[in-house]
Amino acid sequence: MEDRLQMANGLIPQKIVLHLQDSALKELTDQAMNKPAHILQPSPAPAAEGEPDAGVMEHAGKDDPQVLGADPTQGLDGASGSEPAQESDRGEGSVELCHLHLSSCHECLELENSTIESVKFASAENIPDLPYDPSGSLEGAADAIRPEREEKRVNITGKAPNILIYVGPDSQEALDRLQQVQSVLADCVDPDGYTLYHLSQESALRDPWSDNCLLLVLATRESVPEDLHQKFMAYLSQGGRVLGLSSSFTFAGFRVTSKAGLRETVQDLVFSKADQSQVKLSILSSGCVYKEGPGERLSLGKLQGHLENEDKDRLIVQVPFGTRGGEAVLCQVHLELPPSSSVVQKEDFNLLKTSNIRRYEVLKEILTTLGLSCDMKQVPALTPLHLLAAAEEIWDPLMQWLGKHVDPGGVVTSSKLSLKFVPSYTPDMEVTPTALPVVTNMTAFSSEHFNLEIYRQNLQTKQLGRVILFAEVASTTMDLLDGLMFEMPQEMGLIAIAVRQTQGKGRGRNVWLSPVGCALFTLLVSVPLRSPLGQRIPFVQHLMSLAVVEAVRSIPGYQDINLRVKWPNDIYYSDLMKLGGVLVSSTLVGETFYILIGCGFNVTNSNPTICINDLIVEYNREHGAGLAPLGPDRLIARAVTRLEGLIDRFQDEGPNSVLPLYYKYWVHSAQQVHLGSAEGPKVWIVGLDDSGFLQVHQEDGQVATVHPDGNSFDMLRNLIIPKRQ
């Protein structure tokens, strides 16, 4: 099947089941016994069997009348396809039969050619002949990207590492409960691996949160509205994981029954772990227990918790759901509350305090069973900055400028922080997010994670990235340049680089996880207002994303490393998994934009999703190549160099000078999305407009510019057409 088997509508086969007669099975068994067995190593975690994302391009099979006879010159109609049946349209366990296609199938080849033509329709310029490649599944991707060292955890589901917490309708009580849950989870899970977000009731009903959720935590006493209950069940049916903390949420025949004598009282609990060992501890009961409905005999998981009383009241249950790995652990134990909680009676404090370690043990066992990592790493302390120069000839002018602009104490102060320039660092110096010493003696600089000489060798710029503020640990690089960006001469080219960030920033209120191995930097770029790029500032984020991809794929031998750009500001492995992002902040002073470009991408760290070196290892294995791993120092320098070249080209020749290269690497060729909501009208992405916004081809043949709705977890979900005056 030439490794290109596809079903109708572009769906990727997850599994092929062969039904054999007994005689055929016996013949195969006999053959297998006479040949050396090929043993497959077990996966560190089950691969997801998820449906393709709603935003992924949908091919149409031969049953789709829109494809047959379609004229590729008529825009993107040839790339349309029928919608997969919704959950409500299929019975549980039912299978929808699809035609199988081979790569030699005439219709498939015709469809592929029309797709290539559709991609070329996206720009007036001739886009390089690189068709969108939808081949490969999440399951296959999991095998492809699994690192060789077993101890490294990879998020093979491809989902963003988000833990979403639902606490019911907005109220002060709900806010307090949210803070309690966030606090206890932050004490349990790897801070480099996950981010914790509040899932409001409005967002739960409106936004496509399930696509970006590794774990849904339900911590509300109020009954869950029916429409929301259906959303949560749909998430479970898709392989989602749910943790219920003293919540009314239940399913599969279980009932939550109140027992007044247990409410907010300390009880003795026996908890059975996955290995069948038991933990006995004192817990704070919610006052409710789980009971099975009449005639129900449920298949439960190994995690169980019951009280040591006459009724053996069941307070913790593990309930598998559906055929795709969905699972919930439901608790009527206040695992989220510390012994110091206001609801704990004074005489119960000591009992709960002595069991506090075991409370964490139980919670970590539950979280681990639900697929999370609870390997704790201490948040590092902030470190002093080092002032470095990428070229020796710039050092003397830099020192002269600095001498004229610091106060008598050697300090430069801004609205966000103060920088105290010192020849060397001593342990008694204060290092806080708002007061940082900056060491100016370059000869004393050394770092295990950043080689200044490698950075210098790879930086080939006239201006950008030549003066470096470097930190082993910073709160966020976006703030480090605040006091210097408007004062320092533009030709000196400021950049802030950190090995780790403790408060990395993403779009909106998002958090950017910053473990060791990420390339983390904020670059200062000045752009004249009355210039091609100054009139199209949204293009800056696209140019930076493109520069990162080019930093890798322009190295001889690395051109086929499957690194791509995703609108508006992400760097992706294929179209499966995010490994980097860009954040742009601009300030107009007079006739000049001062732009801070914050950028982070995974280079050597496989967590929390995947990194560039994982892709290189897999490429070497697949092709018998010997490509060397890359480092953040080299790639930051190459990305800054590429960005300066892209900016120069844009300023000289306009958007069309860079769009063909951007389209070569982006993941959206002929991709279908919905406007407004998952039920909104279908449109096909065709490219960027003259300002850098997304253009889509509507079913009526019109081309429209769309913006994100500002609320979605994924910028490509719930796109809206802005109102025109």
Side-chain angles (χ1 to χ4, degrees), residues 104-149:
S104 56
C105 167
H106 173 72
E107 290 176 15
C108 288
L109 291 176
E110 184 177 79
L111 176 62
E112 183 172 350
N113 289 334
S114 70
T115 302
I116 295 172
E117 291 297 320
S118 297
V119 173
K120 291 181 178 179
F121 174 75
S123 172
E125 294 291 324
N126 195 24
I127 300 172
D129 194 10
L130 183 69
Y132 175 83
D133 183 8
S135 63
S137 66
L138 287 180
E139 187 170 358
D143 294 334
I145 64 177
R146 188 170 293 118
E148 296 181 356
R149 296 199 301 277

Side-chain angles (χ1 to χ4, degrees), residues 306-329:
H306 65 83
L307 295 182
E308 279 194 310
N309 61 7
E310 184 178 347
D311 295 331
K312 302 287 185 185
D313 289 319
R314 189 180 288 172
L315 266 63
I316 299 177
V317 291
Q318 178 187 1
V319 191
F321 183 79
T323 60
R324 300 173 66 179
E327 191 168 39
V329 176

Side-chain angles (χ1 to χ4, degrees), residues 405-436:
H405 288 79
V406 296
D407 68 14
V411 177
V412 173
T413 303
S414 71
S415 60
K416 293 183 179 179
L417 79 168
S418 62
L419 303 176
K420 182 179 177 63
F421 291 85
V422 295
S424 61
Y425 172 72
T426 57
D428 61 315
M429 292 181 180
E430 182 183 37
V431 183
T432 72
T434 57
L436 295 164

Side-chain angles (χ1 to χ4, degrees), residues 197 504-512 569 582-584 710 712 715:
Y197 288 112
K505 298 178 180 179
R507 284 180 65 103
R509 293 177 294 173
N510 291 342
V511 177
W512 179 258
N569 65 330
V582 175
L583 178 66
V584 174
S712 301
M715 288 296 149

Side-chain angles (χ1 to χ4, degrees), residues 566-581:
K566 177 176 180 285
W567 184 88
N569 65 330
D570 290 336
I571 298 117
Y572 258 59
Y573 155 54
S574 182
D575 62 348
L576 298 174
M577 212 172 296
K578 179 176 177 176
L579 56 70

Side-chain angles (χ1 to χ4, degrees), residues 42 54 57 156 173-174 340 384 395 404 459 539 615 635 649 680 705:
M57 184 185 80
I156 63 173
E173 181 184 354
S340 58
W395 185 253
K404 297 176 181 178
L459 187 73
F539 263 104
L615 306 186
L635 290 184
R649 193 188 310 175
T705 294

Side-chain angles (χ1 to χ4, degrees), residues 514-565:
S514 309
V516 173
C518 279
L520 304 168
F521 64 93
T522 295
L523 180 69
L524 175 62
V525 177
S526 57
V527 175
L529 169 63
R530 303 186 190 283
S531 68
L533 187 56
Q535 297 296 303
R536 302 170 179 85
I537 290 299
F539 263 104
V540 172
Q541 61 188 337
H542 308 321
L543 297 183
M544 186 72 254
S545 301
L546 178 57
V548 171
V549 173
E550 272 277 283
V552 176
R553 299 187 67 161
S554 64
I555 301 174
Y558 292 75
Q559 61 271 13
D560 293 324
I561 300 299
N562 199 1
L563 202 60
R564 297 190 177 265
V565 294

